[in-house]
Short mmCIF file of all heavy atoms in Angstrom, two decimals:
data_model
loop_
_atom_site.label_atom_id
_atom_site.label_comp_id
_atom_site.label_asym_id
_atom_site.label_seq_id
_atom_site.Cartn_x
_atom_site.Cartn_y
_atom_site.Cartn_z
N SER A 311 6.77 -27.02 8.55
CA SER A 311 5.39 -27.16 8.16
C SER A 311 4.72 -28.32 8.87
O SER A 311 5.33 -29.31 9.21
CB SER A 311 5.32 -27.41 6.65
OG SER A 311 4.08 -27.95 6.32
N GLN A 312 3.40 -28.16 9.05
CA GLN A 312 2.63 -29.26 9.62
C GLN A 312 2.53 -30.41 8.65
O GLN A 312 2.05 -31.49 8.99
CB GLN A 312 1.24 -28.77 9.94
CG GLN A 312 1.26 -27.71 10.97
CD GLN A 312 -0.13 -27.47 11.46
OE1 GLN A 312 -0.89 -28.40 11.66
NE2 GLN A 312 -0.46 -26.24 11.67
N GLN A 313 2.92 -30.16 7.41
CA GLN A 313 2.85 -31.24 6.43
C GLN A 313 4.06 -32.16 6.54
O GLN A 313 4.12 -33.18 5.87
CB GLN A 313 2.74 -30.67 5.03
CG GLN A 313 1.48 -29.84 4.90
CD GLN A 313 1.10 -29.57 3.49
OE1 GLN A 313 1.76 -30.00 2.58
NE2 GLN A 313 0.03 -28.86 3.30
N ARG A 320 6.65 -31.25 17.18
CA ARG A 320 5.24 -31.02 17.48
C ARG A 320 4.53 -32.35 17.63
O ARG A 320 4.29 -33.06 16.67
CB ARG A 320 4.58 -30.20 16.38
CG ARG A 320 3.17 -29.84 16.78
CD ARG A 320 2.55 -28.81 15.88
NE ARG A 320 1.35 -28.31 16.51
CZ ARG A 320 0.15 -28.42 15.98
NH1 ARG A 320 -0.02 -28.96 14.82
NH2 ARG A 320 -0.91 -27.95 16.62
N VAL A 323 -0.94 -34.88 22.52
CA VAL A 323 -1.26 -35.88 23.54
C VAL A 323 -2.78 -35.99 23.64
O VAL A 323 -3.48 -35.04 23.31
CB VAL A 323 -0.69 -35.46 24.93
CG1 VAL A 323 0.82 -35.35 24.90
CG2 VAL A 323 -1.31 -34.14 25.40
N PRO A 324 -3.26 -37.17 24.06
CA PRO A 324 -4.72 -37.26 24.24
C PRO A 324 -5.14 -36.35 25.40
O PRO A 324 -4.49 -36.34 26.44
CB PRO A 324 -4.96 -38.73 24.58
CG PRO A 324 -3.63 -39.41 24.59
CD PRO A 324 -2.55 -38.39 24.44
N LEU A 325 -6.18 -35.58 25.16
CA LEU A 325 -6.64 -34.68 26.22
C LEU A 325 -7.78 -35.35 26.98
O LEU A 325 -8.52 -36.16 26.41
CB LEU A 325 -7.13 -33.37 25.60
CG LEU A 325 -6.09 -32.54 24.85
CD1 LEU A 325 -6.75 -31.38 24.12
CD2 LEU A 325 -5.02 -32.02 25.80
N LYS A 326 -7.91 -35.00 28.25
CA LYS A 326 -8.99 -35.56 29.07
C LYS A 326 -10.33 -35.06 28.55
O LYS A 326 -10.41 -34.01 27.91
CB LYS A 326 -8.85 -35.06 30.51
CG LYS A 326 -7.81 -35.78 31.31
CD LYS A 326 -7.96 -35.32 32.78
CE LYS A 326 -6.61 -35.27 33.44
NZ LYS A 326 -6.54 -34.33 34.54
N ARG A 329 -11.70 -31.22 27.92
CA ARG A 329 -10.52 -30.34 27.83
C ARG A 329 -10.20 -29.99 26.38
O ARG A 329 -9.05 -29.82 26.01
CB ARG A 329 -9.29 -31.01 28.49
CG ARG A 329 -9.42 -31.22 29.99
CD ARG A 329 -9.43 -29.88 30.72
NE ARG A 329 -9.53 -30.02 32.17
CZ ARG A 329 -10.68 -30.05 32.85
NH1 ARG A 329 -11.84 -29.94 32.20
NH2 ARG A 329 -10.69 -30.15 34.16
N SER A 330 -11.23 -29.92 25.54
CA SER A 330 -10.99 -29.56 24.13
C SER A 330 -10.83 -28.04 24.02
O SER A 330 -11.07 -27.31 24.98
CB SER A 330 -12.17 -30.01 23.28
OG SER A 330 -13.29 -29.19 23.58
N LEU A 331 -10.48 -27.58 22.83
CA LEU A 331 -10.31 -26.15 22.61
C LEU A 331 -11.62 -25.40 22.88
O LEU A 331 -11.64 -24.31 23.44
CB LEU A 331 -9.83 -25.93 21.17
CG LEU A 331 -9.49 -24.51 20.74
CD1 LEU A 331 -8.58 -23.81 21.72
CD2 LEU A 331 -8.85 -24.52 19.35
N TRP A 411 2.09 -20.20 14.19
CA TRP A 411 0.83 -19.72 13.65
C TRP A 411 -0.30 -19.71 14.66
O TRP A 411 -1.36 -19.12 14.41
CB TRP A 411 0.44 -20.60 12.45
CG TRP A 411 0.51 -22.06 12.74
CD1 TRP A 411 1.62 -22.85 12.67
CD2 TRP A 411 -0.55 -22.90 13.18
NE1 TRP A 411 1.31 -24.13 13.04
CE2 TRP A 411 -0.02 -24.19 13.35
CE3 TRP A 411 -1.91 -22.69 13.44
CZ2 TRP A 411 -0.78 -25.27 13.78
CZ3 TRP A 411 -2.67 -23.77 13.87
CH2 TRP A 411 -2.10 -25.04 14.04
N THR A 587 -18.36 -32.71 2.73
CA THR A 587 -17.20 -31.96 2.25
C THR A 587 -17.65 -30.91 1.24
O THR A 587 -18.49 -31.19 0.39
CB THR A 587 -16.18 -32.91 1.59
OG1 THR A 587 -15.82 -33.89 2.57
CG2 THR A 587 -14.93 -32.18 1.15
N HIS A 607 0.23 -24.76 2.31
CA HIS A 607 -1.05 -24.49 2.96
C HIS A 607 -1.07 -23.07 3.50
O HIS A 607 -0.03 -22.42 3.58
CB HIS A 607 -1.32 -25.50 4.08
CG HIS A 607 -0.33 -25.46 5.18
ND1 HIS A 607 0.85 -26.17 5.14
CD2 HIS A 607 -0.32 -24.80 6.35
CE1 HIS A 607 1.53 -25.94 6.24
NE2 HIS A 607 0.86 -25.12 7.00
N VAL A 608 -2.27 -22.62 3.86
CA VAL A 608 -2.43 -21.28 4.43
C VAL A 608 -3.23 -21.43 5.73
O VAL A 608 -3.72 -22.52 6.03
CB VAL A 608 -3.18 -20.35 3.46
CG1 VAL A 608 -2.42 -20.20 2.15
CG2 VAL A 608 -4.59 -20.84 3.22
N TYR A 609 -3.34 -20.36 6.46
CA TYR A 609 -4.12 -20.40 7.68
C TYR A 609 -5.39 -19.57 7.53
O TYR A 609 -5.34 -18.44 7.06
CB TYR A 609 -3.29 -19.86 8.86
CG TYR A 609 -2.12 -20.75 9.15
CD1 TYR A 609 -0.84 -20.39 8.78
CD2 TYR A 609 -2.33 -21.99 9.74
CE1 TYR A 609 0.23 -21.24 9.01
CE2 TYR A 609 -1.26 -22.85 9.97
CZ TYR A 609 0.01 -22.47 9.60
OH TYR A 609 1.05 -23.31 9.82
N ILE A 614 -14.45 -17.24 16.92
CA ILE A 614 -15.44 -18.23 17.38
C ILE A 614 -15.75 -17.91 18.84
O ILE A 614 -14.85 -17.95 19.68
CB ILE A 614 -14.94 -19.66 17.17
CG1 ILE A 614 -14.81 -19.92 15.67
CG2 ILE A 614 -15.88 -20.68 17.83
CD1 ILE A 614 -14.22 -21.22 15.27
N ILE A 619 -9.75 -18.18 16.15
CA ILE A 619 -9.24 -19.54 15.98
C ILE A 619 -8.61 -19.64 14.60
O ILE A 619 -9.17 -19.17 13.61
CB ILE A 619 -10.37 -20.58 16.13
CG1 ILE A 619 -11.02 -20.46 17.52
CG2 ILE A 619 -9.87 -21.99 15.90
CD1 ILE A 619 -10.13 -20.79 18.68
N LYS A 621 -6.81 -22.29 11.72
CA LYS A 621 -6.57 -23.68 11.30
C LYS A 621 -5.94 -23.67 9.91
O LYS A 621 -6.24 -22.81 9.08
CB LYS A 621 -7.89 -24.46 11.22
CG LYS A 621 -8.58 -24.67 12.56
CD LYS A 621 -8.27 -26.01 13.17
CE LYS A 621 -8.72 -26.07 14.60
NZ LYS A 621 -9.06 -27.39 15.10
N PRO A 622 -5.06 -24.65 9.65
CA PRO A 622 -4.41 -24.70 8.34
C PRO A 622 -5.26 -25.41 7.28
O PRO A 622 -5.94 -26.39 7.58
CB PRO A 622 -3.14 -25.53 8.61
CG PRO A 622 -3.46 -26.35 9.81
CD PRO A 622 -4.57 -25.68 10.57
N TYR A 623 -5.21 -24.92 6.06
CA TYR A 623 -5.91 -25.56 4.93
C TYR A 623 -5.07 -25.47 3.67
O TYR A 623 -4.31 -24.51 3.49
CB TYR A 623 -7.30 -24.91 4.71
CG TYR A 623 -8.21 -25.22 5.88
CD1 TYR A 623 -8.34 -24.32 6.93
CD2 TYR A 623 -8.87 -26.44 5.97
CE1 TYR A 623 -9.10 -24.63 8.04
CE2 TYR A 623 -9.64 -26.76 7.07
CZ TYR A 623 -9.75 -25.85 8.10
OH TYR A 623 -10.50 -26.19 9.20
N THR A 624 -5.22 -26.45 2.81
CA THR A 624 -4.42 -26.54 1.59
C THR A 624 -5.28 -26.13 0.40
O THR A 624 -6.25 -26.83 0.08
CB THR A 624 -3.95 -27.99 1.38
OG1 THR A 624 -3.55 -28.52 2.63
CG2 THR A 624 -2.83 -28.08 0.37
N PRO A 625 -4.97 -25.03 -0.27
CA PRO A 625 -5.79 -24.65 -1.42
C PRO A 625 -5.79 -25.72 -2.52
O PRO A 625 -4.79 -26.44 -2.67
CB PRO A 625 -5.11 -23.37 -1.93
CG PRO A 625 -4.33 -22.86 -0.79
CD PRO A 625 -3.88 -24.07 -0.03
N VAL A 626 -6.90 -25.81 -3.20
CA VAL A 626 -6.99 -26.73 -4.33
C VAL A 626 -7.27 -25.91 -5.58
O VAL A 626 -7.54 -24.71 -5.49
CB VAL A 626 -8.11 -27.79 -4.15
CG1 VAL A 626 -7.79 -28.70 -3.00
CG2 VAL A 626 -9.47 -27.12 -3.96
N PHE A 647 -10.83 -24.14 -1.54
CA PHE A 647 -10.48 -25.11 -0.51
C PHE A 647 -11.51 -26.24 -0.50
O PHE A 647 -12.70 -25.99 -0.64
CB PHE A 647 -10.51 -24.47 0.89
CG PHE A 647 -9.51 -23.37 1.06
CD1 PHE A 647 -9.86 -22.04 0.83
CD2 PHE A 647 -8.22 -23.65 1.46
CE1 PHE A 647 -8.94 -21.02 0.98
CE2 PHE A 647 -7.29 -22.64 1.62
CZ PHE A 647 -7.64 -21.32 1.38
N LEU A 648 -11.01 -27.45 -0.36
CA LEU A 648 -11.90 -28.59 -0.17
C LEU A 648 -11.86 -28.89 1.32
O LEU A 648 -10.81 -29.29 1.84
CB LEU A 648 -11.33 -29.80 -0.91
CG LEU A 648 -11.96 -30.22 -2.20
CD1 LEU A 648 -11.29 -31.49 -2.70
CD2 LEU A 648 -13.46 -30.42 -2.10
N ILE A 649 -12.97 -28.69 1.99
CA ILE A 649 -12.93 -28.80 3.45
C ILE A 649 -14.02 -29.72 3.96
O ILE A 649 -15.19 -29.61 3.56
CB ILE A 649 -13.04 -27.40 4.09
CG1 ILE A 649 -11.80 -26.58 3.69
CG2 ILE A 649 -13.13 -27.50 5.62
CD1 ILE A 649 -11.73 -25.18 4.24
N LYS A 650 -13.57 -30.65 4.78
CA LYS A 650 -14.53 -31.58 5.38
C LYS A 650 -15.11 -30.95 6.64
O LYS A 650 -14.37 -30.45 7.47
CB LYS A 650 -13.80 -32.89 5.73
CG LYS A 650 -14.72 -33.94 6.30
CD LYS A 650 -14.00 -35.23 6.60
CE LYS A 650 -13.84 -36.06 5.36
NZ LYS A 650 -13.58 -37.48 5.65
N ILE A 651 -16.42 -30.95 6.75
CA ILE A 651 -17.07 -30.32 7.91
C ILE A 651 -17.27 -31.38 9.00
O ILE A 651 -17.86 -32.44 8.74
CB ILE A 651 -18.45 -29.73 7.52
CG1 ILE A 651 -18.34 -28.83 6.28
CG2 ILE A 651 -19.07 -28.97 8.69
CD1 ILE A 651 -17.43 -27.63 6.40
N TYR A 652 -16.70 -31.11 10.17
CA TYR A 652 -16.90 -32.02 11.31
C TYR A 652 -18.01 -31.42 12.17
O TYR A 652 -17.79 -30.37 12.80
CB TYR A 652 -15.62 -32.12 12.15
CG TYR A 652 -14.49 -32.81 11.43
CD1 TYR A 652 -13.64 -32.12 10.57
CD2 TYR A 652 -14.26 -34.18 11.63
CE1 TYR A 652 -12.61 -32.75 9.91
CE2 TYR A 652 -13.23 -34.82 10.98
CZ TYR A 652 -12.41 -34.10 10.12
OH TYR A 652 -11.39 -34.74 9.48
N PRO A 653 -19.17 -32.07 12.23
CA PRO A 653 -20.28 -31.46 13.00
C PRO A 653 -19.90 -31.16 14.44
O PRO A 653 -20.36 -30.19 15.02
CB PRO A 653 -21.38 -32.53 12.94
CG PRO A 653 -21.01 -33.40 11.79
CD PRO A 653 -19.53 -33.35 11.63
N THR A 654 -18.99 -31.98 15.02
CA THR A 654 -18.60 -31.72 16.42
C THR A 654 -17.26 -30.98 16.49
O THR A 654 -16.68 -30.88 17.55
CB THR A 654 -18.48 -33.05 17.19
OG1 THR A 654 -17.63 -33.91 16.43
CG2 THR A 654 -19.83 -33.68 17.41
N GLY A 655 -16.77 -30.51 15.36
CA GLY A 655 -15.49 -29.79 15.34
C GLY A 655 -15.67 -28.34 15.77
O GLY A 655 -16.79 -27.84 15.91
N LEU A 656 -14.56 -27.66 15.92
CA LEU A 656 -14.61 -26.28 16.40
C LEU A 656 -14.70 -25.29 15.23
O LEU A 656 -15.55 -24.41 15.21
CB LEU A 656 -13.33 -26.00 17.21
CG LEU A 656 -13.18 -24.60 17.79
CD1 LEU A 656 -14.31 -24.29 18.75
CD2 LEU A 656 -11.83 -24.46 18.49
N PHE A 657 -13.84 -25.46 14.25
CA PHE A 657 -13.70 -24.45 13.20
C PHE A 657 -14.65 -24.68 12.03
O PHE A 657 -15.30 -23.76 11.54
CB PHE A 657 -12.24 -24.48 12.71
CG PHE A 657 -11.87 -23.32 11.84
CD1 PHE A 657 -11.42 -22.14 12.40
CD2 PHE A 657 -11.94 -23.41 10.46
CE1 PHE A 657 -11.06 -21.06 11.61
CE2 PHE A 657 -11.59 -22.35 9.65
CZ PHE A 657 -11.14 -21.17 10.23
N THR A 658 -14.69 -25.93 11.56
CA THR A 658 -15.41 -26.17 10.30
C THR A 658 -16.92 -25.89 10.37
O THR A 658 -17.46 -25.34 9.40
CB THR A 658 -15.12 -27.58 9.75
OG1 THR A 658 -15.27 -28.53 10.80
CG2 THR A 658 -13.72 -27.66 9.17
N PRO A 659 -17.62 -26.19 11.47
CA PRO A 659 -19.05 -25.83 11.48
C PRO A 659 -19.25 -24.32 11.37
O PRO A 659 -20.17 -23.86 10.71
CB PRO A 659 -19.55 -26.33 12.84
CG PRO A 659 -18.57 -27.35 13.27
CD PRO A 659 -17.24 -26.92 12.71
P1 FAD B 246 -11.73 -30.12 15.44
O1 FAD B 246 -12.32 -29.28 16.52
O2 FAD B 246 -10.29 -30.22 15.35
O3 FAD B 246 -12.37 -31.55 15.54
C1 FAD B 246 -12.18 -32.58 14.56
C2 FAD B 246 -12.77 -33.87 15.10
O4 FAD B 246 -12.04 -34.27 16.25
C3 FAD B 246 -14.23 -33.72 15.56
O5 FAD B 246 -14.90 -34.91 15.24
C4 FAD B 246 -14.10 -33.51 17.05
O6 FAD B 246 -15.26 -33.94 17.74
C5 FAD B 246 -12.90 -34.38 17.38
N1 FAD B 246 -12.17 -33.87 18.56
C6 FAD B 246 -11.77 -32.59 18.77
N2 FAD B 246 -11.11 -32.52 19.95
C7 FAD B 246 -11.09 -33.77 20.45
C8 FAD B 246 -10.55 -34.34 21.63
N3 FAD B 246 -9.91 -33.63 22.52
N4 FAD B 246 -10.70 -35.67 21.80
C9 FAD B 246 -11.35 -36.43 20.91
N5 FAD B 246 -11.88 -35.94 19.77
C10 FAD B 246 -11.76 -34.64 19.55
N6 FAD B 246 -8.76 -30.08 6.32
C11 FAD B 246 -9.55 -29.98 5.25
O7 FAD B 246 -10.73 -30.33 5.31
N7 FAD B 246 -9.05 -29.49 4.06
C12 FAD B 246 -7.77 -29.11 3.91
O8 FAD B 246 -7.35 -28.67 2.83
C13 FAD B 246 -6.92 -29.22 5.05
N8 FAD B 246 -5.62 -28.88 4.98
C14 FAD B 246 -4.81 -29.07 6.05
C15 FAD B 246 -3.47 -28.78 5.94
C16 FAD B 246 -2.63 -29.02 6.99
C17 FAD B 246 -1.18 -28.72 6.87
C18 FAD B 246 -3.15 -29.55 8.20
C19 FAD B 246 -2.26 -29.83 9.35
C20 FAD B 246 -4.49 -29.80 8.32
C21 FAD B 246 -5.34 -29.58 7.26
N9 FAD B 246 -6.69 -29.82 7.36
C22 FAD B 246 -7.47 -29.72 6.26
C23 FAD B 246 -7.32 -30.09 8.65
C24 FAD B 246 -7.85 -28.76 9.30
O9 FAD B 246 -6.75 -27.92 9.67
C25 FAD B 246 -8.67 -28.96 10.59
O10 FAD B 246 -7.96 -29.76 11.47
C26 FAD B 246 -10.00 -29.62 10.28
O11 FAD B 246 -10.74 -28.79 9.40
C27 FAD B 246 -10.84 -29.84 11.54
O12 FAD B 246 -11.06 -28.62 12.18
P2 FAD B 246 -12.25 -28.37 13.22
O13 FAD B 246 -11.80 -27.27 14.12
O14 FAD B 246 -13.55 -28.21 12.54
O15 FAD B 246 -12.34 -29.73 14.02
#
Side-chain angles (χ1 to χ4, degrees):
S311 161
Q312 296 192 40
Q313 299 196 1
R320 186 168 193 241
V323 298
L325 297 172
K326 282 189 214 154
R329 294 292 181 269
S330 70
L331 184 49
W411 49 276
T587 302
H607 62 275
V608 300
Y609 295 105
I614 295 175
I619 301 295
K621 294 264 168 152
Y623 293 95
T624 318
V626 294
F647 297 94
L648 256 184
I649 296 181
K650 183 178 278 200
I651 309 299
Y652 292 85
T654 52
L656 179 61
F657 192 86
T658 47

